[in-house]
Amino acid sequence: MKNIRVATAGVSSDYGQSLLPIIAQSLGYQISWTNPKESDLLILGPFANPNPKKLTWCPKPLRPVIKPITNTLEAVLVGRKNLPLKLFQSAENIRHDIHQPDYSISFDLNIESDKHFRLPYWMEMIDWSHEGLTGNQNPRYGQLLTIERLMAPLGDAFLKRGRAVAFLSSHIREPRNTLLNALQKVVPIRGFGPHFNKGIKNHHLSGFNKHTLLQDFAFNLCPENSMYPGYYTEKIPEAFFAECLPITWTDENVRVDFNPNAFINLAPMSWCNFSPIKEIVESCKLLEEYASQALLLNAPSILPFRNFVKRIFEDASS
């Protein structure tokens, strides 16, 4: 195996179990996790701040001079003759070019660059063993999602459950509060997670897995945290995989990933105060139409991403 030194900044603590390092190891690379100053490849995540605002003490005319050396990422690389290859990867709604990296992996659509790859976060939660890739995990949900199930109709299991909504959330910031208030006027909602149970410190310490919990509910309110073309996370497919009808809030370009007829999207109803939702949840005919729909209309593959990762690691180790 070929050794490569990799550093991270601003990524989640479980990044080592995500697809990129797993793919790199399957390609024959032995990753030595190190600090940015000693790295061959520096991976910048969504929580790496490119412009720390720590210069309030400094007169404004001097800030352009001081700022470059107070930037954390630039400061640790001062003195290096050969800078590491920089890769930006985000599972958050942040633009791919925020750090001006050498390569980027993000949600962004229609980026015409061979240095960028679109990998929506939900693909991190797929079981890719049929393509020879194993090792990724989905601990909060309880299991990985299979393409076979997502390409099958939702089915009528949710119609046989109580007409109630499960809502898992760590916060109630907008648009979640507005959606919650609108939906609970027409259907019972039960909340789970840190916002509803202050004894829960974070998702990983919730004491339940999402897949099991959703078995008792017909619907899952699962809005995206924010709206941007291409930003679609694991929320919709996880609800669908648990045979719940997803009720989400997202933009119309979601059809690039998912069949828009397989879930309820509240965003187009905003103009009329979400009035159509009452008819939908109370209509057996309309709900049966959702039951007949598959979430994925085309089978995705991890192989294009594997080839992209191969290019990155070949470049970083050359």
Side-chain angles (χ1 to χ4, degrees), residues 65 102 142 144 149 179-180 263 273 291 295 312:
V65 178
D102 300 296
L144 293 173
R149 175 66 192 97
L179 301 177
L180 175 62
F263 53 86
N273 200 27
L295 185 64
I312 293 174

Side-chain angles (χ1 to χ4, degrees), residues 82 161 202 228 256 272:
N82 299 313
R161 301 171 182 172
N202 57 57
Y228 192 87
V256 74
C272 59

Side-chain angles (χ1 to χ4, degrees), residues 184-258:
Q184 65 185 3
K185 293 177 182 177
V186 298
V187 63
I189 296 180
R190 185 176 175 190
F192 301 89
H195 174 75
F196 301 98
N197 183 350
K198 302 305 180 183
I200 298 176
K201 295 182 180 180
N202 57 57
H203 289 297
H204 298 286
L205 300 175
S206 64
F208 57 81
N209 73 61
K210 185 176 178 181
H211 182 260
T212 300
L213 184 149
L214 292 179
Q215 304 303 306
D216 295 329
F217 295 87
F219 311 101
N220 177 206
L221 177 58
C222 49
E224 298 294 358
N225 293 327
S226 55
M227 194 179 294
Y228 192 87
Y231 176 64
Y232 317 119
T233 65
E234 78 288 359
K235 295 178 176 64
I236 293 173
E238 284 187 345
F240 187 95
F241 191 83
E243 299 179 296
C244 274
L245 180 58
I247 303 178
T248 191
W249 181 84
T250 190
D251 84 291
E252 64 180 9
N253 294 287
V254 69
R255 67 183 61 242
V256 74
D257 286 349
F258 306 130

Side-chain angles (χ1 to χ4, degrees), residues 57-131:
W57 54 271
C58 179
K60 287 185 178 181
L62 296 179
R63 292 180 189 177
V65 178
I66 295 177
K67 192 170 187 177
I69 63 173
T70 56
N71 183 296
T72 304
L73 296 177
E74 292 182 8
V76 298
L77 299 177
V78 168
R80 279 194 59 163
K81 293 183 179 179
N82 299 313
L83 294 177
L85 194 74
K86 289 198 297 183
L87 164 67
F88 174 67
Q89 183 174 8
S90 179
E92 303 294 332
N93 189 5
I94 300 175
R95 305 290 62 78
H96 72 286
D97 58 354
I98 186 172
H99 291 285
Q100 298 183 333
D102 300 296
Y103 290 91
S104 60
I105 301 167
S106 76
F107 291 91
D108 290 1
L109 289 170
N110 305 318
I111 305 302
E112 296 183 359
S113 170
D114 60 359
K115 302 293 186 180
H116 173 266
F117 192 92
R118 180 176 182 266
L119 185 80
Y121 186 62
W122 63 268
M123 292 184 72
E124 291 271 0
M125 307 306 169
I126 296 293
D127 180 351
W128 297 109
S129 59
H130 62 287
E131 292 192 345

Side-chain angles (χ1 to χ4, degrees), residues 127-176:
D127 180 351
W128 297 109
S129 59
H130 62 287
E131 292 192 345
L133 185 67
T134 60
N136 58 317
Q137 301 176 14
N138 191 2
R140 287 190 296 177
Y141 187 71
Q143 64 187 92
L144 293 173
L145 314 179
T146 64
I147 292 174
E148 180 181 15
R149 175 66 192 97
L150 298 178
M151 294 190 72
L154 174 60
D156 63 359
F158 79 98
L159 296 173
K160 301 172 184 177
R161 301 171 182 172
R163 297 286 177 88
V165 177
F167 182 34
L168 290 78
S169 184
S170 59
H171 65 82
I172 202 66
R173 295 189 297 274
E174 294 296 350
R176 296 187 184 188

